């Protein structure tokens, strides 16, 4: 029986035909002859690379607007014998021209953007990036340096912990100094710019209750006063933190020259602005 099978095989070859799946096929037949080869679509890539496709779909940031083949111009070409993985993988520089500068600490993109299919979401714990933050966030670094405070002495990851981009709540480190207001970022930053907390500034309309947190005595005196000063915001007279105005800035010289000559200090008669006496 075996010799008969060999004879049939040889006969098939000599007759110009091959036995393919038990059927004779011409040796010159081209199975691909009538196939129109088209570029892969996103859906076709995703069928095999479901993990990458899902990642870029859910957290791809701007990369979600890029087709797979825009980056992977060479694909299905990896050969473990040649160890050519690095050679065929796309390079960030194909699209990005050193977006964070040329500092050696930030030119290795994948050290921070560990997954190019999730370039923002996959940034590791900020503690592991310490020392590199200022290179990308140079504007913030400039603020901290220009107006030193205790915030300048802190590592970035002490406040921006857990994940890249997390904005901390002030109460994580600070106790409330205003009993009338909750310690929340909008209220705190109404006076204290977060990266320059000692550069206190505020609008003229700032509520007096916020000032009361530090200036409780002045607030209580004004609240009990029956005079017009009670109706003003603190910032009306103190447009800059720590600024002490002169009465003449608003009132001029309401009395005769003789009286002003005898009592050059208004407080000699009217005591302090927060607790006027007539």
């Amino acid at each position: 029986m075996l010799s008969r099978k060999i004879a049939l095989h040889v006969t098939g070859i000599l007759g110009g035909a091959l036995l393919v799946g038990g059927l004779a096929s011409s040796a010159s037949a081209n199975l691909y002859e009538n196939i129109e080869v088209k570029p892969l679509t996103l859906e076709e890539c995703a069928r095999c690379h479901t993990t990458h496709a899902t990642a870029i779909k859910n957290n791809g940031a701007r990369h979600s607007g890029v087709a797979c083949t825009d980056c992977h111009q060479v694909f299905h070409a990896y050969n473990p014998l040649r160890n050519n993985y690095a050679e065929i993988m796309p390079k960030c520089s194909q699209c990005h021209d050193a977006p964070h500068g040329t500092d050696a600490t930030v030119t290795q993109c994948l050290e921070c953007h560990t997954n190019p299919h999730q370039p923002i979401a996959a940034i590791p714990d900020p503690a592991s990036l310490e020392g590199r933050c200022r290179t990308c966030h140079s504007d913030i670094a400039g603020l901290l340096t220009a107006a030193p405070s205790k915030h300048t002495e802190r590592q970035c990851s002490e406040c921006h912990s857990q994940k890249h981009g997390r904005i901390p709540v002030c109460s994580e480190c600070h106790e409330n100094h205003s009993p009338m207001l909750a310690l929340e970022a909008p209220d705190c930053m109404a006076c204290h710019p977060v990266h320059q907390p000692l550069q206190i500034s505020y609008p003229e309309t700032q509520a007096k209750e916020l000032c009361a947190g530090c200036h409780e005595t002045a607030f209580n005196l004004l609240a009990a006063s029956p005079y017009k000063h009670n109706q003003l915001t603190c910032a009306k007279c103190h447009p800059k933190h720590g600024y002490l105005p002169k009465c003449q800035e608003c009132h001029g010289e309401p009395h005769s020259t003789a009286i002003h000559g005898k009592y050059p200090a208004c407080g000699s008669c009217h005591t302090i602005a927060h607790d006027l006496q007539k």
Side-chain angles (χ1 to χ4, degrees):
M1 178 65 72
L2 179 60
S3 60
R4 186 169 184 274
K5 287 184 177 180
I6 295 174
L8 287 173
H9 178 65
V10 173
T11 302
I13 294 176
L14 294 176
L18 292 173
L19 291 175
V20 180
L23 299 176
S25 175
S26 171
S28 61
N30 187 343
L31 297 178
Y32 301 91
E33 184 174 5
N34 297 319
I35 295 178
E36 182 182 355
V37 179
K38 297 180 181 180
L40 288 169
T41 65
L42 288 174
E43 291 80 5
E44 289 168 333
C45 296
R47 286 192 188 103
C48 292
H49 304 283
T50 53
T51 301
H52 298 325
T54 301
I56 200 168
K57 176 182 178 181
N58 294 336
N59 289 295
R62 291 186 180 181
H63 283 189
S64 62
V66 179
C68 302
T69 51
D70 287 342
C71 295
H72 298 279
Q73 297 170 1
V74 177
F75 47 90
H76 296 167
Y78 174 65
N79 186 331
L81 297 178
R82 293 173 56 193
N83 192 26
N84 62 336
Y85 186 83
E87 178 185 337
I88 66 174
M89 283 296 104
K91 306 298 184 291
C92 303
S93 57
Q94 289 176 200
C95 297
H96 303 284
D97 295 327
H100 306 308
T102 57
D103 189 306
T105 62
V106 293
T107 54
Q108 301 301 314
C109 308
L110 294 178
E111 290 186 6
C112 293
H113 304 283
T114 55
N115 184 349
H117 302 105
Q118 295 180 321
I120 304 301
I123 296 177
D125 186 331
S128 67
L129 304 177
E130 199 63 65
R132 304 177 187 179
C133 308
R134 293 169 180 254
T135 305
C136 295
H137 303 284
S138 56
D139 53 340
I140 300 301
L143 292 174
L144 288 164
T145 303
S149 68
K150 288 186 177 180
H151 283 191
T152 309
E153 301 169 4
R154 304 266 69 84
Q155 299 280 12
C156 301
S157 60
E158 289 184 49
C159 295
H160 302 284
S161 58
Q162 301 176 27
K163 67 177 183 177
H164 183 263
R166 188 184 83 89
I167 305 299
V169 178
C170 302
S171 58
E172 291 177 22
C173 297
H174 303 282
E175 294 183 0
N176 196 350
H177 60 60
S178 179
M180 299 182 183
L181 294 170
L183 185 61
E184 297 177 350
D187 286 336
C188 299
M189 289 189 289
C191 293
H192 303 281
V194 64
H195 295 107
Q196 294 183 320
L198 301 183
Q199 302 299 301
I200 300 174
S201 62
Y202 38 75
E204 187 177 303
T205 56
Q206 183 62 62
K208 289 184 288 188
E209 288 77 10
L210 197 63
C211 305
C214 292
H215 307 284
E216 184 178 2
T217 300
F219 175 83
N220 289 336
L221 288 173
L222 272 174
S225 174
Y227 301 115
K228 289 183 178 180
H229 282 189
N230 175 292
Q231 302 170 19
L232 304 175
T233 64
C234 301
K236 178 66 176 177
C237 296
H238 305 282
K240 183 177 180 181
H241 190 257
Y243 174 73
L244 299 178
K246 294 182 179 180
C247 302
Q248 291 85 347
E249 292 179 24
C250 292
H251 301 287
E253 294 188 349
H255 306 297
S256 67
T257 303
I259 291 178
H260 284 290
K262 185 175 181 179
Y263 303 104
C266 301
S268 299
C269 298
H270 301 290
T271 64
I272 61 173
H274 303 115
D275 185 25
L276 290 172
Q277 301 294 323
K278 285 194 173 182

